[in-house]
Amino acid sequence: MTIKTIIAAIALENGEQQVARRAIRLAVDHGAKLVLAHAIESIPKSDPDLPAPANEEAIANVLEAEAIASLKQMAESATVQTEIEVECGKADQFIERLIRDHAADLLVIGPGKPQNLRERIFGSTADRVVRAGVCPIVVVKRAADEPYHRVIAAIDFSPMSFAAAQSAAQIAPSAKLELLHFLEIPLTFEQAMLKVGTSQAELDQYRQAKAKIAYVELRSIRADLALTGRIRVVRGDPATALVRLARSGRTDLIALGIHGKSAVSKLILGSAARRVLAASSCDVLLSGGAISRDYSA
């Protein structure tokens, strides 16, 4: 898939210059059309006590004009085709519609800031858009003007993680891409094995055998998706290890597959993804699509 259209969702009140900069960088790298979008959610409900000149329509017109001016200023440095979209209403609904109307290949968005208790529980605009999984999403966590150089794709052998790896390779074709699998054997399971008479040597052999199987699978995935780059199996909890990598300063982008088949999984995004989004100091790529193992790039 070629990246032809990129939507950048800009929350102007959060000072998201870094989102625009990353979106422009990606649009330039891919020769893609860029749509800078902003939703105005701060229009108050009908208030009969408003002074006559300050009616809802007049306020909305002022806010829209200011937002368009701000987005045009951000787009001045772009050397690609750029469009501006501003609308009053729910940001997640507006963004999802734009993605469909423009047949967008990628959404670039900031992590968002929960504004109240409900959003802390159920998610900010960024969370809601991510859960929808309409297209791959880059969540921008830091300002950078250079292309991505070091990318990690977390592979749990689900079709969604294959899609995330493929998206990472498309978004950053010149980056060093590492396929990473986390071998997590719960401590309680290991303890139970020891209690039923498994020796420590046998437990170590079991762990090594699982790692060898994972390496074989990773090599197969790398070949199936026509990717190049390192493969690695790491012991431990995926979320903890990914956060450590995200904060190491040696990673520019972490790609994760989002499992969203059930209402519950859509709500929590997966604990690993949510923890990485919250704690990462590098950008995060999320893909909710699926690629089967018989896919060939």
Side-chain angles (χ1 to χ4, degrees), residues 11 13-16 110-116 119-120 123-127:
E13 61 275 14
N14 293 339
E16 292 192 339
K113 297 179 180 179
Q115 302 298 317
N116 50 45
E119 287 200 348
R120 284 197 291 272
S124 65
T125 296
D127 295 326

Side-chain angles (χ1 to χ4, degrees), residues 21-257:
R21 287 165 60 185
R22 174 53 68 187
I24 290 170
R25 175 75 264 173
L26 289 168
V28 169
D29 289 345
H30 293 277
K33 180 179 76 173
L34 175 62
V35 180
L36 294 178
H38 174 69
I40 301 170
E41 296 184 300
S42 57
I43 301 294
K45 294 182 179 179
S46 181
D47 185 353
D49 297 326
L50 280 174
N55 61 70
E56 292 175 46
E57 183 178 356
I59 293 172
N61 288 338
V62 169
L63 292 175
E64 286 184 13
E66 290 177 347
I68 290 171
S70 295
L71 293 180
K72 284 183 176 179
Q73 187 175 18
M74 290 183 181
E76 286 178 355
S77 63
T79 57
V80 294
Q81 179 186 352
T82 306
E83 295 181 14
I84 304 295
E85 295 273 4
V86 176
E87 183 176 292
C88 295
K90 293 292 185 182
D92 56 324
Q93 297 172 7
F94 173 49
I95 293 167
E96 288 176 36
R97 179 170 57 77
L98 281 179
I99 291 171
R100 292 187 174 94
D101 289 351
H102 288 271
D105 304 298
L106 183 67
L107 170 67
V108 182
I109 193 169
K113 297 179 180 179
Q115 302 298 317
N116 50 45
L117 178 61
R118 182 184 181 279
E119 287 200 348
R120 284 197 291 272
I121 296 172
F122 295 105
S124 65
T125 296
D127 295 326
R128 293 193 295 271
V129 172
V130 167
R131 288 198 298 273
V134 182
C135 71
I137 298 168
V138 170
V139 182
V140 179
K141 298 297 294 284
R142 67 181 179 190
D145 294 313
E146 295 184 353
Y148 295 119
H149 297 295
R150 300 171 299 277
V151 179
I152 289 175
I155 302 294
D156 62 3
F157 303 126
S158 68
M160 284 67 71
S161 67
F162 306 156
Q166 182 69 14
S167 294
Q170 292 163 344
I171 290 169
S174 61
K176 293 181 179 179
L177 175 62
E178 181 176 17
L179 301 183
L180 199 59
H181 175 71
F182 298 93
L183 180 61
E184 183 183 20
I185 302 173
L187 179 61
T188 53
F189 184 78
E190 291 190 359
Q191 290 173 337
M193 289 180 68
L194 293 171
K195 287 178 180 178
V196 299
T198 305
S199 68
Q200 185 61 52
E202 289 172 323
L203 180 58
D204 291 341
Q205 289 175 358
Y206 169 76
R207 192 182 294 115
Q208 291 169 4
K210 297 290 286 185
K212 287 181 180 179
I213 292 171
Y215 271 113
V216 170
E217 283 288 295
L218 286 174
R219 292 189 188 97
S220 178
I221 292 166
R222 184 172 59 182
D224 288 348
L225 298 180
L227 302 177
T228 59
R230 184 183 179 190
I231 59 174
R232 189 155 53 111
V233 176
V234 177
R235 283 183 57 187
D237 170 62
T240 301
L242 282 169
V243 168
R244 185 173 64 251
L245 288 168
R247 290 177 168 179
S248 68
R250 297 189 298 273
T251 303
D252 299 321
L253 180 69
I254 288 181
L256 303 172

